Amino acid sequence: MKLSAGTIFTFILLISVLIADNEVFALSNFKFQQIPGQIKPNKTDTVKNAKVLKKSSLDSKLEYYAKDSINTDMEKEISYLYGGARVVYEGFELDADFIRFDSKNKIIFASGVKSEKGKYVGRPIFKMGEEGAAIADSLIYYTESKQGVVYSVYKEQEGGFFSGGKTKMQPDHEFHVAGTTYSTCNLPEPHYGIHITKGIATENHILTGPVYMEFEGIPMPLGLPFAFFPKPNKKASGFILPTPGEDATRGFSLTNGGYYFAFNDYMDARIMGNIFTNGSYDLNLTSNYTKRYKYNGNLNFAYSSTRNGLEGTPQYKPQKNFNVTWSHSQNSNARPGTTFSASVNAGTSSYYAVTAANGTYDANAMLRNTMSSSISYGRVFGDGLFNFTSALRHSQETQSKTISLTLPDVNLNMATISPFDSKKSVGEKKWYQKLTVGYGFQASNTVSTKEDLLFTQDGLKSFKNGFQHTIPISLPFNLFQYLNFNSSMNYTERWYMQTIEKKYIRNVPSDIVVIDTLDGFKRAGEYNLSMGMTTKIYGRKDFKNLGGIKAIRHVMTPSVSFTYKPDFANIKNTVYRDQQYYINDLRPGKLVPTNEYVRDANGNILKYSTFEQGIYGGPSQGKQASIGFSLDNNVELKVRSSKDTTGNGERKIQILQGLSLSSSYNFVQPQKKLAPINFGGRSQFTDKLGINFGGTFSPYLVEQVAYTTGTGANQITTYSYQEVDKYTWSQGKFPRLVSLNLSFDYSLNPEAIKSHQKNVDNLRNDVSNNRTAEQAEQLAAISRDPNAFVDFNIPWNINFSYNFNYNNPLSMAASRSINNTVNFSGDFNLTSKWKVQFRSGYDFKANNLSQTSFAIYRDLHCWDLSANWIPFGIYQSYSIDIRVKASILQDLKLSKRKGYYTTY
């Protein structure tokens, strides 16, 4: 807990609320004014359902109302309000089933009443200004002496509840409280609380007598004899007390201790740390910031030095790791047309694994293989014609410890325009008016290297940059009403400040290639022409006597396209060069060219592109004059609905969705003119089961091919199986299946998925909640994992997912690879308050279980108990936590953990 005002012991929030403003009961000098009708001057008058404003010698105005009746004793100058009584005085609002005004003695009293069944109902509910409403058993206020008493107050404040006791307001703006309880339990008689026996609060200070914890009405030996605190009316900085613990590997510890900085209402920071007796330590800096109607975000920097071995062993050497996360979002209305956002997750690759995801034991984070970041800025200008975006990007592979940076990536796109169209044209457009032209510009500066080499001199010199311009031109038209054509031309030009030069040196068993980088501006362009046609074909068959099936419908969407592109490698003054042999010379720059060239099996000189290492590549090699074709299919059944009581209801079942076949044929390609045949599709048979599939067929045979290298005594001939330029159907065979993937998800209780998504949406839509970094991460975990959200309204849930991948490029046992995995997860309620969760899977190729975990959750109303267990694997661990549900008292918890790194 924080050692600061209002935070060292959260029970002082009770006093803060009760002394929020002494004007809550400032009803002195009130006036009455009657408007609806005149009350006769007898001693006692009764008016039902009246709203009265009464005027007298007093100099303030008060409005009052009663649903039942208003009884006025003119002699004693007392008014009685019965049944749904309401009083409004300036910013003060009071509702109760009974309110009494004593104008003579200047006293106001409010209370509830007993119902016919003997229950106390209609308690006073009062509110002042922007303060939240509070409930009391009764209250009384003496307007002349400015003293008041509230009995058994009940008020919610920032996730906590204040109840019971007696509060007395003194003329000198002091408040005396006694017997009051603060708790996050919302029951009238809370399961637990912090009990204040007595206390005095002034405008700037709080002084209390004995305070102690209370569970189920039983006092606990946890408390203080007295306390004194300053009481500012805003957030304050303070210490966060650490939690003592012990770990078998790292020794005794103090964890989650630090200091909280409350800079202002819009920005705060927190420095936390863990320290262990074996020399390990962790540091964490978290900051949240917001500007209303403008932007908000949070920043987190974590550093750890971990020792997991015994002193004197190699494992005892400290492992240094760090991680930075930053999230920033801009309100869409802050600057229309301009956007800025950031999502950063960067650091050392082993951070999540070594620190157990910063102690959260999040399996998804610990097993994470990639980290990525993006900081982007965008602007739309020119009346929406131009769209500019720029971004700084980063990605990491934690296993290979490689990192890629893009600093920056710039895009400028112009919306397509019709240069020959007129805004004043009427009727059907001419063919040339349908012509559209666009423009796109890209620029990027990237580097890919190892983590430990990034900030070295050679690493910073490895950046690659380039520019790319694209101009698409399109002309759509229709033919015979049902055929949709589109012709287009695309021009692309690339600029680079660096190119490469290759030199080939003969060597056994393979040639050596020396690559030099040349500085200087180079440019090259390329273009292609294309035309495509598509249409739709419908088929339907109705059935009268086929059980519940009433009709079947088939929709086919064939597409044909033709593309032409010249061979830019054979055009003079292009970026392509011949692959030439050189005589090896150990002296730099002394390689001597020969008249020999690298040739293919047909004796043709091979070429290379000086742009091939550019980030946008270069003009493509090889002439293309190809025709592409595809066929998309959708098949659905119309069946009788069993849920319709009239017997005439119908429903549709999607048998096949998006079953597609596609390939292409290049007329000018010397070999293998026909491209592989790709297929894919999906089917949603029921709400519980959906299947996705896809794969590739190869139309070519596989044969043993001889390959000869070298000459004379150095000549070597090797044999290998390869695809050859012979079609499978030339031998009466079907095309070969070279790849297949199949996956499906199945839920035995789809209502659980709907409930999970609904709760996540509610959390995301709660914009009033200014979430901390921990809360944002918890929400992200719930989004990733359906089992991360405990919903007792769903009694059970079981999910299955299956993935099958088959690859065999040569249709041989040696080249075959099969991956086959099944995962399952779910939960069930043992009782209305006990829930068990589980997650596991099986990898058939590894012949082993995937990470398995179990969790037990117990709802204790205002508290909860959770136990998590990973029984085996590298992250074997368990944890048991008992904590208060409300975030304001999260420090009130008991934890027991055994970390995955505890190995002895």
Side-chain angles (χ1 to χ4, degrees):
M1 295 185 183
K2 303 171 186 176
L3 295 177
S4 62
T7 55
I8 298 180
F9 296 100
T10 52
F11 59 77
I12 64 174
L13 292 175
L14 168 63
I15 304 174
S16 301
V17 172
L18 296 178
I19 64 174
D21 194 331
N22 60 1
E23 292 183 2
V24 169
F25 300 104
L27 301 180
S28 59
N29 299 325
F30 55 80
K31 294 182 180 180
F32 295 102
Q33 182 180 15
Q34 176 183 330
I35 292 179
Q38 297 294 329
I39 299 178
K40 296 180 180 180
N42 54 355
K43 292 186 178 181
T44 303
D45 290 333
T46 300
V47 180
K48 293 185 178 181
N49 298 323
K51 182 176 181 181
V52 178
L53 299 175
K54 190 173 182 179
K55 203 170 188 179
S56 69
S57 59
L58 302 177
D59 54 7
S60 293
K61 184 174 71 174
L62 182 145
E63 301 178 17
Y64 63 90
Y65 167 81
K67 287 184 178 180
D68 189 353
S69 62
I70 299 176
N71 194 344
T72 303
D73 189 329
M74 303 299 292
E75 182 178 348
K76 295 182 179 180
E77 298 184 23
I78 298 177
S79 295
Y80 303 88
L81 282 68
Y82 298 97
R86 178 174 177 81
V87 171
V88 178
Y89 175 79
E90 295 181 349
F92 173 68
E93 301 177 26
L94 172 64
D95 292 88
D97 267 10
F98 175 73
I99 298 177
R100 183 183 67 220
F101 298 128
D102 188 339
S103 299
K104 184 177 182 179
N105 296 311
K106 299 179 182 178
I107 299 174
I108 182 172
F109 173 81
S111 70
V113 297
K114 283 191 176 182
S115 66
E116 296 179 354
K117 297 182 179 180
K119 292 185 177 181
Y120 190 65
V121 296
R123 287 178 170 84
I125 302 175
F126 57 95
K127 178 182 179 182
M128 183 66 186
E130 298 298 328
E131 293 289 332
I135 303 176
D137 277 357
S138 61
L139 62 87
I140 186 172
Y141 186 78
Y142 301 90
T143 60
E144 188 172 33
S145 61
K146 297 183 179 179
Q147 291 181 323
V149 179
V150 181
Y151 298 90
S152 296
V153 70
Y154 181 83
K155 181 177 178 61
E156 191 273 339
Q157 180 75 19
E158 297 183 359
F161 297 88
F162 307 89
S163 60
K166 179 180 178 181
T167 302
K168 185 177 182 180
M169 187 178 69
Q170 301 293 353
D172 54 359
H173 303 292
E174 285 189 357
F175 290 81
H176 295 184
V177 298
T180 302
T181 300
Y182 171 76
S183 175
T184 57
C185 181
N186 61 356
L187 295 179
E189 296 182 4
H191 290 108
Y192 80 100
I194 301 173
H195 190 81
I196 304 173
T197 58
K198 57 184 177 180
I200 300 175
T202 66
E203 186 176 356
N204 299 312
H205 302 89
I206 300 174
L207 178 65
T208 71
V211 294
Y212 57 86
M213 293 294 297
E214 194 175 66
F215 290 89
E216 296 289 357
I218 302 174
M220 296 286 105
L222 300 172
L224 291 173
F226 62 89
F228 174 80
F229 309 104
K231 192 187 71 63
N233 294 321
K234 59 182 180 179
K235 294 190 297 184
S237 304
F239 289 98
I240 303 174
L241 295 179
T243 301
E246 181 185 8
D247 180 82
T249 299
R250 298 188 288 184
F252 293 99
S253 65
L254 291 175
T255 60
N256 296 324
Y259 194 84
Y260 175 78
F261 298 90
F263 298 116
N264 50 52
D265 291 339
Y266 308 102
M267 183 177 181
D268 64 4
R270 182 177 58 184
I271 297 179
M272 304 281 285
N274 307 324
I275 187 170
F276 302 86
T277 54
N278 81 328
S280 300
Y281 62 89
D282 305 317
L283 296 174
N284 189 283
L285 170 64
T286 302
S287 178
N288 299 282
Y289 59 89
T290 184
K291 188 171 183 180
R292 185 172 295 181
Y293 311 122
K294 295 292 185 179
Y295 55 80
N296 64 80
N298 59 76
L299 174 68
N300 181 277
F301 175 77
Y303 177 83
S304 71
S305 175
T306 307
R307 300 177 187 267
N308 285 334
L310 293 173
E311 188 173 357
T313 64
Q315 292 78 14
Y316 190 71
K317 183 179 179 180
Q319 301 181 55
K320 309 290 187 179
N321 290 281
F322 74 92
N323 182 259
V324 178
T325 60
W326 176 36
S327 176
H328 178 94
S329 60
Q330 176 181 297
N331 190 302
S332 59
N333 297 322
R335 298 185 64 186
T338 302
T339 60
F340 178 79
S341 64
S343 177
V344 175
N345 183 12
T348 52
S349 296
S350 56
Y351 171 80
Y352 285 100
V354 171
T355 64
N358 198 23
T360 63
Y361 290 82
D362 184 348
N364 292 297
M366 290 188 292
L367 297 174
R368 182 178 296 163
N369 190 38
T370 61
M371 291 189 291
S372 61
S373 306
S374 176
I375 303 174
S376 60
Y377 169 82
R379 185 180 179 187
V380 178
F381 60 96
D383 292 331
L385 182 62
F386 294 96
N387 183 14
F388 172 82
T389 61
S390 62
L392 308 178
R393 294 190 177 90
H394 139 271
S395 64
Q396 284 179 258
E397 293 284 344
T398 59
Q399 297 297 322
S400 60
K401 294 189 176 181
T402 58
I403 184 170
S404 297
L405 296 178
T406 302
L407 307 171
D409 186 22
V410 176
N411 289 271
L412 175 63
N413 294 293
M414 182 187 77
T416 57
I417 60 174
S418 301
F420 303 110
D421 191 15
S422 173
K423 296 182 180 180
K424 298 180 181 180
S425 61
V426 179
E428 186 177 354
K429 293 183 179 180
K430 304 293 184 180
W431 66 270
Y432 57 85
Q433 291 179 314
K434 298 179 181 179
L435 182 73
T436 61
V437 179
Y439 172 75
F441 170 77
Q442 290 177 279
S444 188
N445 183 43
T446 66
V447 63
S448 295
T449 184
K450 292 288 186 179
E451 286 183 15
D452 53 351
L453 299 177
L454 177 62
F455 295 106
T456 63
Q457 185 175 2
D458 293 336
L460 296 176
K461 289 182 178 180
S462 300
F463 274 93
K464 298 179 180 179
N465 47 62
F467 308 85
Q468 179 172 267
H469 308 263
T470 57
I471 302 176
I473 302 174
S474 177
L475 178 62
F477 60 93
N478 297 331
L479 191 64
F480 304 122
Q481 189 176 355
Y482 301 106
L483 301 179
N484 302 316
F485 284 84
N486 184 69
S487 57
S488 63
M489 184 188 78
N490 291 278
Y491 178 78
T492 302
E493 182 167 310
R494 301 173 181 90
W495 298 349
Y496 292 111
M497 299 300 176
Q498 290 180 332
T499 55
I500 65 168
E501 181 181 36
K502 287 185 176 182
K503 298 177 180 179
Y504 293 80
I505 302 172
R506 291 191 179 278
N507 191 54
V508 177
S510 59
D511 294 338
I512 297 175
V513 181
V514 177
I515 301 177
D516 295 326
T517 301
L518 306 178
D519 294 328
F521 174 78
K522 296 291 182 180
R523 57 165 293 274
E526 66 173 328
Y527 63 89
N528 64 75
L529 304 172
S530 65
M531 176 176 286
M533 184 276 295
T534 183
T535 188
K536 285 187 179 292
I537 303 172
Y538 298 88
R540 177 187 174 101
K541 176 65 175 177
D542 295 318
F543 303 100
K544 294 183 178 179
N545 300 308
L546 196 59
I549 300 177
K550 305 189 70 175
I552 184 171
R553 185 172 183 258
H554 183 197
V555 181
M556 294 185 294
T557 307
S559 299
V560 180
S561 63
F562 177 79
T563 302
Y564 171 78
K565 178 189 69 65
D567 185 4
F568 292 95
N570 290 327
I571 299 177
K572 292 183 179 181
N573 300 322
T574 63
V575 298
Y576 281 89
R577 302 288 184 270
D578 294 336
Q579 297 182 11
Q580 186 177 13
Y581 282 109
Y582 285 72
I583 298 175
N584 195 8
D585 194 320
L586 298 178
R587 294 174 297 174
K590 296 297 182 179
L591 294 178
V592 179
T594 67
N595 292 324
E596 294 185 81
Y597 296 91
V598 182
R599 301 177 183 271
D600 61 15
N602 299 320
N604 299 316
I605 298 176
L606 299 179
K607 297 177 179 292
Y608 72 92
S609 171
T610 58
F611 281 10
E612 65 182 35
Q613 291 189 1
I615 55 179
Y616 299 117
S620 55
Q621 185 177 12
K623 187 176 181 180
Q624 182 181 3
S626 64
I627 182 172
F629 44 86
S630 66
L631 178 63
D632 189 79
N633 298 267
N634 283 275
V635 181
E636 62 183 17
L637 290 178
K638 183 180 291 186
V639 300
R640 184 178 295 109
S641 175
S642 59
K643 297 181 179 180
D644 188 81
T645 57
T646 64
N648 298 321
E650 298 176 349
R651 67 185 182 94
K652 294 180 180 179
I653 298 178
Q654 299 289 344
I655 303 299
L656 288 174
Q657 295 172 279
L659 174 60
S660 62
L661 296 169
S662 63
S663 185
S664 63
Y665 188 89
N666 191 349
F667 294 95
V668 297
Q669 188 166 300
Q671 291 184 341
K672 297 182 180 180
K673 299 178 183 295
L674 181 62
I677 303 169
N678 300 309
F679 68 94
R682 61 190 183 277
S683 181
Q684 188 72 39
F685 292 105
T686 68
D687 292 338
K688 300 179 180 180
L689 177 63
I691 298 177
N692 295 273
F693 59 90
T696 303
F697 288 105
S698 174
Y700 300 104
L701 292 172
V702 174
E703 294 181 356
Q704 193 176 52
V705 178
Y707 183 71
T708 301
T709 59
T711 59
N714 295 324
Q715 181 173 320
I716 299 175
T717 301
T718 58
Y719 297 89
S720 62
Y721 286 94
Q722 298 178 14
E723 278 190 349
V724 296
D725 191 18
K726 296 179 183 179
Y727 293 118
T728 56
W729 48 80
S730 65
Q731 297 184 1
K733 299 179 180 179
F734 287 104
R736 298 180 298 108
L737 179 66
V738 296
S739 69
L740 174 67
N741 59 81
L742 174 69
S743 65
F744 69 83
D745 296 310
Y746 186 77
S747 175
L748 295 179
N749 187 3
E751 292 299 322
I753 302 298
K754 295 178 182 178
S755 175
H756 165 260
Q757 191 58 48
K758 180 180 179 181
N759 283 291
V760 170
D761 291 341
N762 290 338
L763 287 173
R764 292 190 182 280
N765 294 332
D766 184 13
V767 295
S768 62
N769 183 14
N770 187 16
R771 299 184 186 91
T772 64
E774 292 83 1
Q775 291 170 332
E777 178 58 31
Q778 289 172 2
L779 181 58
I782 291 173
S783 300
R784 294 191 302 265
D785 181 10
N787 285 345
F789 185 83
V790 181
D791 189 355
F792 280 93
N793 295 322
I794 303 298
W796 64 273
N797 176 37
I798 298 178
N799 297 308
F800 293 93
S801 64
Y802 176 77
N803 289 276
F804 174 84
N805 288 279
Y806 168 86
N807 287 280
N808 195 351
L810 298 178
S811 299
M812 302 172 60
S815 65
R816 183 172 58 220
S817 173
I818 298 177
N819 292 313
N820 198 14
T821 61
V822 61
N823 296 285
F824 52 88
S825 62
D827 59 71
F828 59 91
N829 293 355
L830 290 175
T831 68
S832 61
K833 297 296 183 181
W834 283 93
K835 182 178 282 289
V836 176
Q837 297 176 327
F838 60 90
R839 171 193 292 276
S840 187
Y842 193 82
D843 189 332
F844 293 93
K845 183 177 181 179
N847 196 25
N848 198 2
L849 287 173
S850 58
Q851 180 167 313
T852 301
S853 62
F854 298 92
I856 299 177
Y857 187 92
R858 173 67 165 94
D859 185 2
L860 300 175
H861 188 257
C862 46
W863 294 66
D864 62 53
L865 177 147
S866 62
N868 296 273
W869 178 37
I870 301 176
F872 49 81
I874 60 174
Y875 294 110
Q876 179 180 350
S877 61
Y878 71 83
S879 65
I880 302 173
D881 292 276
I882 303 175
R883 68 178 66 201
V884 179
K885 284 184 178 179
S887 59
I888 195 171
L889 287 184
Q890 282 297 293
D891 287 331
L892 293 178
K893 63 180 180 180
L894 301 175
S895 300
K896 170 62 178 175
R897 292 183 179 273
K898 174 184 178 296
Y900 72 94
Y901 41 76
T902 304
T903 55
Y904 50 87

